[in-house]
């Protein structure tokens, strides 16, 4: 009889720092004493997580792992927490949802009962605690930007790490600082289109690139969009396939959304931002420390805000290294008039001027003519706006543009979300904050689009209508 097939027990990608000894065997033994049986992949992870240096400190002060759904990744966390309770450590388990943190509390309490470890529990939903006689304590909380401040812990668990945001990290990362032997565990899945966090993804990128000290990482994943019907990939990326769940259950998951299946079941980490929100980190990566050598004429983008309050003007110009430099010239109240825009346009070597915003297009067009500017502006229509936004997104992720770190532009770009435009799947951007004007970003996008079309001599043409 053929041996039963099970999923791959070792990560497809991992970074593990060398360690001399590990307390993994003791933790696995304690867990198995509850009547449960750790799987091989869980044991291997626990050995790495509990690896120690010669001085007795944890080798990895931070350890992250990502496993597709329903494989039992939370059981690894429970094993670590069970061992922490026996050792007398203080634990803070955080999750994105209260129901998740509550489930983690139930899981650990059941293990303590099964292991015969005396303990007391507070069962208040969302504020659960467990105290073991002799010292070990565990707190279960839903994450917020203020959670954990002023408290000290030895072990911090970031459950549902794909939802872990920058402001939450700012509040929580210091809670283990005072511990003599701190450790933070990140546990989750690759982010989907609705995931809010970026910390987990950046941690992964840095760890795999060798840019993180004291950090371990493990994942089960494919490295590109793959065929959902490839059974071999199911086993390659799901260590508990054949033990916790079956091929038949995976087959039932295959549907029309190949990307979702690749993320949820094959562990795919997409190389672009699904939410189409641009992080500050992504924008800062395009910053130059000095103005690059430029070539050609300026392209000007102007956006009148839809609320009629402000108007923004940005410029773009090609650089000799094949990129496009962008900058916002200014954003002013509409009541300030048009002279500041026409004066700049008249004094500059301009290739194109693009204007968006029905509440100001014709006014500025007339003002330019009255100022003696012979080059007529292009008054943008919806199809052109859609194309401009799509072109900008492609250029952003391909790193074909650069900027000087202008604060107003950085704030506008890094606080945006997509909005639908038209009826054919087009999109634009909207601000996520009332105090930041998206017109700054929009005007930059139009300038970039114009410059990109001209600099690369694309067949696409921009028509004045």
């Amino acid at each position: 009889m053929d041996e039963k097939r099970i999923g791959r027990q070792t990560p497809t990608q991992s970074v593990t720092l060398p360690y001399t000894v590990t307390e993994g065997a003791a933790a696995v033994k304690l867990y198995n004493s509850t009547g449960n049986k750790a799987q091989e992949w869980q044991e291997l992870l626990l050995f790495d997580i509990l690896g120690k240096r010669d001085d007795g400190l944890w080798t990895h002060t931070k350890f992250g792992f990502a496993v597709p759904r329903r494989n039992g990744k939370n059981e690894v966390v429970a094993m670590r927490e069970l061992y922490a309770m026996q050792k007398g450590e203080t634990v803070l388990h955080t999750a994105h949802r209260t129901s998740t943190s509550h489930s983690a509390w139930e899981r650990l309490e059941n293990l303590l009962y099964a292991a015969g470890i005396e303990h007391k529990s507070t069962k208040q939903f969302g504020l659960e605690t467990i105290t073991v006689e002799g010292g070990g304590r565990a707190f279960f909380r839903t994450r917020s930007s203020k959670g954990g401040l002023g408290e000290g812990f030895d072990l911090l668990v970031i459950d549902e790490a794909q939802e872990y945001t920058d402001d939450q990290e700012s509040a929580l990362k210091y809670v283990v600082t005072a511990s003599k032997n701190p450790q933070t565990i990140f546990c989750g899945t690759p982010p989907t289109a609705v995931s809010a966090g970026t910390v987990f993804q950046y941690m992964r990128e840095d760890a795999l690139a060798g840019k993180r000290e004291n950090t371990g990482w493990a994942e089960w994943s494919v490295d590109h969009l793959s065929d959902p019907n490839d059974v071999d990939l199911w086993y390659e990326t799901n260590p508990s396939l054949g033990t916790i769940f079956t091929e038949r259950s995976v087959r039932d998951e295959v549907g029309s959304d190949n990307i979702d299946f690749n993320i949820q079941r094959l562990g795919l980490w997409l190389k672009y931002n699904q939410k189409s929100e641009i992080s500050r980190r992504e924008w800062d990566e395009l910053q130059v420390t000095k103005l690059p050598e430029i070539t050609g004429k300026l392209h000007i983008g102007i956006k009148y805000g839809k609320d009629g309050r402000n108007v923004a003007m940005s410029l773009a110009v090609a650089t000799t290294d094949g990129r496009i430099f962008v900058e916002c010239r200014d954003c002013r109240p509409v009541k300030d008039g048009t002279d500041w825009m026409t004066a700049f346009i008249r004094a500059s070597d301009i290739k194109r001027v693009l204007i968006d915003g029905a509440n100001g297009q014709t006014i500025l067009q007339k003002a330019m003519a009255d100022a003696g500017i012979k080059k007529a502006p292009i008054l943008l229509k919806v199809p052109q706006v859609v194309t401009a936004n799509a072109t900008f997104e492609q250029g952003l992720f391909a790193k074909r543009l650069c900027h000087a770190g202008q604060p107003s532009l950085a704030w506008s770009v890094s606080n945006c979300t997509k909005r639908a435009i038209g009826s054919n799947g087009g999109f634009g951007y909207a601000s996520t904050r009332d105090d930041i004007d998206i017109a700054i970003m929009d005007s930059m996008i139009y300038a970039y689009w114009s410059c990109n079309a001209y600099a690369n001599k694309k067949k696409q043409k921009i028509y004045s209508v």
Side-chain angles (χ1 to χ4, degrees):
M1 182 180 293
D2 294 338
E3 185 178 350
K4 181 180 179 180
R5 188 178 186 184
I6 63 172
R8 173 178 173 145
Q9 297 299 290
T10 56
T12 56
Q13 289 199 88
S14 64
V15 174
T16 304
L17 304 178
Y19 51 84
T20 54
V21 296
T22 179
E23 295 186 19
V28 170
K29 182 179 179 180
L30 175 61
Y31 175 76
N32 289 345
S33 74
T34 66
N36 295 284
K37 181 67 171 69
Q39 298 184 68
E40 180 184 357
W41 71 271
Q42 294 170 332
E43 292 184 5
L44 293 173
L45 263 185
L46 208 56
F47 271 62
D48 291 341
I49 290 171
L50 292 173
K52 300 181 75 173
R53 308 189 311 182
D54 290 334
D55 60 4
L57 300 179
W58 304 125
T59 300
H60 305 102
T61 56
K62 294 184 178 181
F63 198 100
F65 64 97
V67 192
R69 295 191 180 279
R70 304 303 178 189
N71 274 278
K73 61 182 175 295
N74 289 319
E75 207 68 18
V76 177
V77 172
M79 296 177 197
R80 174 65 181 93
E81 292 174 342
L82 178 64
Y83 191 62
M85 299 298 279
Q86 187 187 61
K87 283 177 61 69
E89 292 181 300
T90 303
V91 180
L92 175 61
H93 185 119
T94 72
H96 177 61
R97 294 183 293 266
T98 303
S99 59
T100 304
S101 61
H102 182 77
S103 294
W105 165 78
E106 285 185 329
R107 186 180 297 111
L108 180 57
E109 186 178 43
N110 289 335
L111 289 175
L112 289 167
Y113 275 124
I117 298 176
E118 294 290 333
H119 65 281
K120 297 180 180 179
S121 287
T122 300
K123 300 181 180 181
Q124 183 178 350
F125 191 71
L127 296 170
E128 298 88 347
T129 62
I130 300 176
T131 302
V132 169
E133 192 169 344
R137 293 183 299 157
F139 300 80
F140 298 83
R141 300 289 184 268
T142 307
R143 282 192 295 272
S144 71
S145 59
K146 298 179 181 178
L149 291 176
E151 303 176 55
F153 303 89
D154 300 302
L155 174 64
L156 171 62
V157 175
I158 307 298
D159 197 353
E160 298 177 310
Q162 68 275 9
E163 307 293 345
Y164 193 37
T165 62
D166 290 333
D167 61 336
Q168 291 169 357
E169 184 189 38
S170 295
L172 285 170
K173 66 182 178 180
Y174 299 106
V175 302
V176 294
T177 301
S179 173
K180 294 180 180 179
N181 195 12
Q183 188 171 62
T184 303
I185 306 295
F186 298 78
C187 166
T189 58
T192 66
V194 296
S195 298
T198 56
V199 175
F200 198 43
Q201 182 158 358
Y202 293 149
M203 178 188 184
R204 171 187 184 263
E205 293 172 359
D206 289 346
L208 293 178
K211 297 179 181 179
R212 292 263 183 145
E213 293 185 7
N214 306 318
T215 298
W217 179 266
E219 69 179 57
W220 280 256
S221 66
V222 292
D223 59 8
H224 59 272
L225 195 65
S226 303
D227 180 6
N229 294 297
D230 189 335
V231 176
D232 289 335
L233 289 180
W234 299 357
Y235 282 97
E236 184 74 3
T237 56
N238 290 273
S240 295
L241 179 55
T243 54
I244 292 180
F245 56 97
T246 65
E247 286 187 21
R248 184 181 184 186
S249 61
V250 176
R251 179 70 64 188
D252 287 341
E253 295 174 344
V254 178
S256 59
D257 193 338
N258 290 349
I259 292 179
D260 185 70
F261 183 90
N262 267 258
I263 296 170
Q264 306 269 24
R265 182 52 59 209
L266 302 182
L268 175 66
W269 292 78
L270 290 176
K271 294 179 174 61
Y272 59 87
N273 188 331
Q274 288 190 90
K275 293 192 69 168
S276 298
E277 296 173 346
I278 302 163
S279 72
R280 184 61 181 264
R281 175 170 173 165
E282 288 169 321
W283 185 247
D284 287 348
E285 286 177 348
L286 304 176
Q287 183 175 341
V288 293
T289 56
K290 63 178 181 180
L291 187 67
E293 185 176 349
I294 61 175
T295 179
K297 298 183 178 183
L298 295 180
H299 294 252
I300 301 295
I302 296 171
K303 170 65 176 180
Y304 281 85
K306 63 179 182 179
D307 58 9
R309 291 184 300 174
N310 298 327
V311 55
M313 180 171 71
S314 293
L315 58 87
V317 63
T319 66
T320 55
D321 62 6
R323 294 181 294 175
I324 294 173
F325 179 82
V326 295
E327 184 174 85
C328 179
R329 177 65 180 178
D330 208 344
C331 181
R332 297 188 185 184
V334 172
K335 64 182 181 181
D336 283 2
T338 60
D339 287 351
W340 65 277
M341 291 182 284
T342 56
F344 179 82
I345 295 170
R346 188 174 57 245
S348 302
D349 189 7
I350 301 296
K351 182 64 181 179
R352 292 192 182 104
V353 177
L354 286 68
I355 310 173
D356 182 33
N359 56 323
Q361 281 181 326
T362 55
I363 295 174
L364 182 55
Q365 181 183 39
K366 183 177 183 304
M368 288 175 61
D370 291 345
I373 299 171
K374 296 182 180 180
K375 188 176 292 296
I378 297 168
L379 308 185
L380 295 175
K381 299 296 184 180
V382 170
Q384 297 166 311
V385 170
V386 168
T387 302
N389 282 294
T391 302
F392 166 75
E393 184 181 55
Q394 294 168 7
L396 175 78
F397 292 117
K399 299 185 177 181
R400 289 196 294 267
L401 66 147
C402 57
H403 60 85
Q406 189 177 28
S408 59
L409 184 55
W411 273 104
S412 185
V413 171
S414 62
N415 289 278
C416 69
T417 188
K418 273 186 177 176
R419 62 182 179 89
I421 295 181
S423 57
N424 296 314
F427 70 89
Y429 292 94
S431 180
T432 60
R433 295 175 50 164
D434 293 338
D435 59 337
I436 298 176
D437 201 324
I438 200 65
I440 296 174
M441 179 180 180
D442 285 339
S443 63
M444 176 271 297
I445 288 174
Y446 303 145
Y448 170 82
W449 175 50
S450 176
C451 187
N452 180 72
Y454 181 78
N456 292 295
K457 299 180 180 179
K458 294 183 177 180
K459 293 181 180 180
Q460 172 195 2
K461 294 182 180 180
I462 303 175
Y463 294 98
S464 177
V465 291

